[in-house]
């Protein structure tokens, strides 16, 4: 059965989605802060010799999983 009102509802939803919304003025600072937090928390793990030896021995997927496991264990100890 066809719903003849469905295309009109979809058009209204698309118009609402396309309408401009106010942006949070603090958003750029929040994004920069989140990026800095991520970079500082992963800085030690990006350059570790374990990554290269894991990648050479087990492959990139296993090396990535090992890096995440080491990162989590460091976070859980703190």
């Amino acid at each position: 059965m066809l719903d003849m009102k469905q295309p009109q509802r979809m058009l209204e939803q698309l118009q609402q989605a396309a309408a401009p919304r106010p942006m949070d003025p603090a958003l750029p600072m929040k994004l920069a802060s989140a990026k800095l937090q991520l970079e500082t928390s992963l800085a030690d793990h990006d350059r570790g010799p374990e990554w290269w030896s894991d990648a050479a021995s087990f492959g990139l997927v296993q090396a990535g999983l090992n890096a995440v496991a080491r990162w989590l264990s460091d976070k859980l100890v703190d």
Side-chain angles (χ1 to χ4, degrees):
M1 182 180 288
L2 295 175
D3 182 6
M4 300 306 285
K5 294 181 183 179
Q6 195 271 339
Q8 183 63 30
R9 286 193 303 262
M10 180 178 278
L11 183 61
E12 290 170 1
Q13 288 175 351
L14 291 173
Q15 287 173 341
Q16 287 177 354
R21 288 179 266 171
M23 187 177 89
D24 181 11
L27 182 63
M29 290 299 293
K30 289 177 184 177
L31 291 174
S33 174
K35 180 182 177 191
L36 182 62
Q37 270 185 321
L38 179 65
E39 288 173 349
T40 55
S41 69
L42 296 177
D44 296 335
H45 300 288
D46 283 344
R47 294 181 200 91
E50 299 92 6
W51 165 259
W52 295 111
S53 63
D54 287 349
S57 301
F58 304 114
L60 292 177
V61 173
Q62 185 65 41
L65 291 173
N66 289 344
V68 169
R70 281 192 296 273
W71 179 76
L72 284 174
S73 67
D74 288 348
K75 291 297 177 187
L76 293 176
V77 171
D78 292 341

